[in-house]
Amino acid sequence: MLFNNVSALSLDQLIDTWPSTPWTFAEVLPAEFSPFILMGVLLSLITVYATSKIGGELSKRLDLPPVLGELVGGVVVGISALHLLMFPENTATITDSLIAQLVQWMGHLDADAAMRVFEGQSEVISVLAELGVIVLLFEIGLESDLRELSKVGFQAAVVAVVGVVVPFTLGTVGLVSIFHVPVIPAIFAGAALTATSIGITSKVLSELGHLKSKEGQIIVGAAVIDDVLGIIVLAVVASLAKTGEVDLLNVVYLIISASGFLLGAILLGKFFNTGFVAIADKLQTRGALLIPAFTFALVMSCFASAIHLEAILGAFAAGLVLDETDKRKELDQQIMPIADILVPIFFVTVGAKADLGVLNPMVAENRAGLIIAAFLIAVAVVGKLVTGWAVFGQPGINRMAIGVGMIPRGEVGLVFAGIGSASGVLDRPLEAAIIVMVILTTFLAPPLLQLTLKGSNVEMSSSDVLPATD
């Protein structure tokens, strides 16, 4: 979920390296195109929900986490197979998307108009996916007991730091010394190995009923800290790509703002809860509890974006704050239908954007990338597995589960690859290698996490387990 919207960072380095678009969103949406964009959005959502439910149900029947079915389903309908759910950021055009071609035929649109409609509908779906991951992290925050999370706070910080330093160091040094990759591209690839996709891991933990276990709390806490560290790493490597130097002032600013935001959110909870419950009790119309709570989550997300952090961190912090109120269980039940509508868009979209074509060894330019990818995958797995052994003073803790829970990179690594490619730092083999690493770590982590947690004791009461949503 980190870096879904890179522009939210508002960093000069990212703006200068991120590819520009030929027109603004307002230009993509003139009045005569609006009905066709809506048609494209509706067809895309039909595809998403059918894919999500079919994939989730099949995965559940195979005793696998439903989120894995949603990801695989996204791959099937996306750029790798059926070409139904396509996005211009994957260099797709109107001729690559079956939905876009159907809209063009139904609307009798010329090529230029059809392309504008395609870009408009894709941007709407991407925004809905952003909202989906915000809702997911808000829901996860509600299910993460702040008192329990604070107990593992130091442990989570150690896990996060080890999970950033080890893969970054192994990846960068290995690429330079073994494959003779230039230093700055190697640093970019090493940075892509650092972060953890908290959205994917937390959804699996929730589905398995381990979100409030000791292992689950450490994984979630470490993944949040990983996101903060990832923002800093991204700022550093973007500076290197632009100037060859690191903007130390910007790095210091990010460290202070990230730390201050999270600590401030925790302190806010001590004063916010009483007032929030009093306001909710006085409201008499529908959504008396849900609307104020969700508004608070959006406010926190906006505030996080305003200080150059990720919006999802704000949503997670809002969930942590509201978890302390007496209305938490009631709010849990009310937020689930919203999550059921928006969260699948995120997971199916992640799968749809994963181009498995880079795995084809018959394409000559893929072969060098596949060799480097094998190295990156090994580093990506080992570099996160060791984090479980960074936990100390916790007898009986499932260290393997903690390490596996930190493995998936999700869309995070794809953004690093995108920035590196747009800046001209990454060549095709190295870019392909990063994409292969992201794809395999994303899809391997859910079943591995389920396997490592099977039979573990869950440290929670049965009433605290999230009901199945798939």
Side-chain angles (χ1 to χ4, degrees):
M1 10 330 37
L2 176 66
F3 312 134
N4 287 329
N5 184 1
V6 181
S7 62
L9 292 173
S10 300
L11 300 174
D12 291 336
Q13 298 96 322
L14 301 189
I15 294 173
D16 289 343
T17 58
W18 197 249
S20 59
T21 53
W23 42 67
T24 65
F25 189 61
E27 291 171 330
V28 174
L29 283 172
E32 63 269 24
F33 292 162
S34 296
F36 305 113
I37 291 177
L38 177 60
M39 185 188 304
V41 169
L42 295 177
L43 289 171
S44 297
L45 290 178
I46 291 170
T47 303
V48 165
Y49 291 131
T51 299
S52 167
K53 190 48 61 181
I54 294 171
E57 290 293 332
L58 289 175
S59 187
K60 188 74 172 178
R61 281 160 173 73
L62 294 173
D63 197 29
L64 293 170
V67 66
L68 181 62
E70 295 179 358
L71 288 168
V72 173
V75 171
V76 172
V77 300
I79 188 173
S80 298
L82 299 182
H83 288 203
L84 288 170
L85 196 63
M86 301 285 287
F87 297 87
E89 63 196 68
N90 289 114
T91 67
T93 64
I94 185 68
T95 58
D96 298 316
S97 170
L98 295 180
I99 289 179
Q101 291 181 53
L102 178 59
V103 172
Q104 181 182 21
W105 175 74
M106 294 175 70
H108 305 289
L109 302 174
D110 60 32
D112 181 64
M115 188 62 193
R116 291 179 178 234
V117 168
F118 175 48
E119 294 206 351
Q121 76 182 45
S122 299
E123 187 161 354
V124 172
I125 295 298
S126 294
V127 169
L128 290 175
E130 296 274 358
L131 286 174
V133 76
I134 286 174
V135 171
L136 174 62
L137 267 295
F138 178 53
E139 186 180 34
I140 296 303
L142 284 172
E143 289 298 317
S144 301
D145 192 322
L146 188 56
R147 288 181 293 272
E148 292 298 319
L149 201 58
S150 64
K151 291 178 183 178
V152 299
F154 182 71
Q155 300 279 9
V158 173
V159 168
V161 171
V162 171
V164 168
V165 172
V166 172
F168 177 79
T169 303
L170 291 177
T172 303
V173 173
L175 287 172
V176 172
S177 60
I178 299 174
F179 298 97
H180 308 294
V181 174
V183 174
I184 291 183
I187 289 175
F188 249 103
L193 293 166
T194 59
T196 297
S197 178
I198 184 174
I200 292 170
T201 294
S202 58
K203 183 72 183 295
V204 175
L205 289 169
S206 175
E207 290 170 344
L208 297 178
H210 278 265
L211 191 60
K212 286 191 176 180
S213 66
K214 186 71 72 174
E215 293 86 354
Q217 293 291 294
I218 291 175
I219 292 170
V220 170
V224 170
I225 298 170
D226 245 11
D227 272 2
V228 174
L229 295 176
I231 292 170
I232 297 167
V233 170
L234 181 57
V236 171
V237 296
S239 296
L240 285 172
K242 180 183 177 184
T243 63
E245 300 176 353
V246 177
D247 186 347
L248 292 177
L249 287 178
N250 189 48
V251 173
V252 171
Y253 168 77
L254 287 170
I255 294 173
I256 294 174
S257 61
S259 303
F261 176 79
L262 292 175
L263 291 175
I266 292 172
L267 293 175
L268 173 66
K270 299 182 181 298
F271 306 99
F272 180 81
N273 296 332
T274 304
F276 174 81
V277 172
I279 291 173
D281 285 339
K282 289 181 180 179
L283 299 177
Q284 299 178 3
T285 55
R286 286 179 57 178
L289 176 61
L290 178 61
I291 297 301
F294 193 54
T295 300
F296 175 61
L298 296 179
V299 168
M300 292 290 284
S301 299
C302 287
F303 183 63
S305 294
I307 59 174
H308 310 323
L309 299 177
E310 269 296 303
I312 59 171
L313 292 179
F316 179 77
L320 287 178
V321 170
L322 293 179
D323 177 64
E324 298 295 297
T325 69
D326 296 334
K327 301 282 188 179
R328 192 262 295 174
K329 289 189 177 180
E330 185 181 347
L331 187 55
D332 277 346
Q333 296 296 323
Q334 293 187 20
I335 200 69
M336 284 179 188
I338 298 178
D340 290 342
I341 293 296
L342 290 176
V343 173
I345 303 175
F346 168 69
F347 288 112
V348 173
T349 298
V350 170
K353 292 179 179 179
D355 185 3
L356 299 188
V358 298
L359 295 172
N360 184 3
M362 301 305 293
V363 179
E365 61 181 1
N366 286 349
R367 293 168 191 162
L370 288 173
I371 296 172
I372 298 176
F375 169 75
L376 291 183
I377 291 166
V379 172
V381 173
V382 173
K384 293 295 185 179
L385 282 180
V386 298
T387 60
W389 281 263
V391 178
F392 53 89
Q394 300 285 345
I397 198 80
N398 191 334
R399 300 178 186 278
M400 183 63 73
I402 292 173
V404 170
M406 301 293 290
I407 286 177
R409 270 48 175 200
E411 72 291 343
V412 181
L414 295 178
V415 171
F416 275 102
I419 294 174
S421 176
S423 64
V425 170
L426 299 180
D427 58 17
R428 172 66 184 175
L430 188 54
E431 182 184 359
I434 294 174
I435 293 173
V436 171
M437 178 273 297
V438 171
I439 291 170
L440 290 186
T441 57
T442 298
F443 289 103
L444 285 176
L448 288 178
L449 187 57
Q450 182 185 41
L451 184 64
T452 56
L453 285 173
K454 217 164 194 176
S456 296
N457 292 323
V458 184
E459 299 179 5
M460 69 178 94
S461 65
S462 59
S463 62
D464 285 329
V465 180
L466 270 175
T469 57
D470 290 273

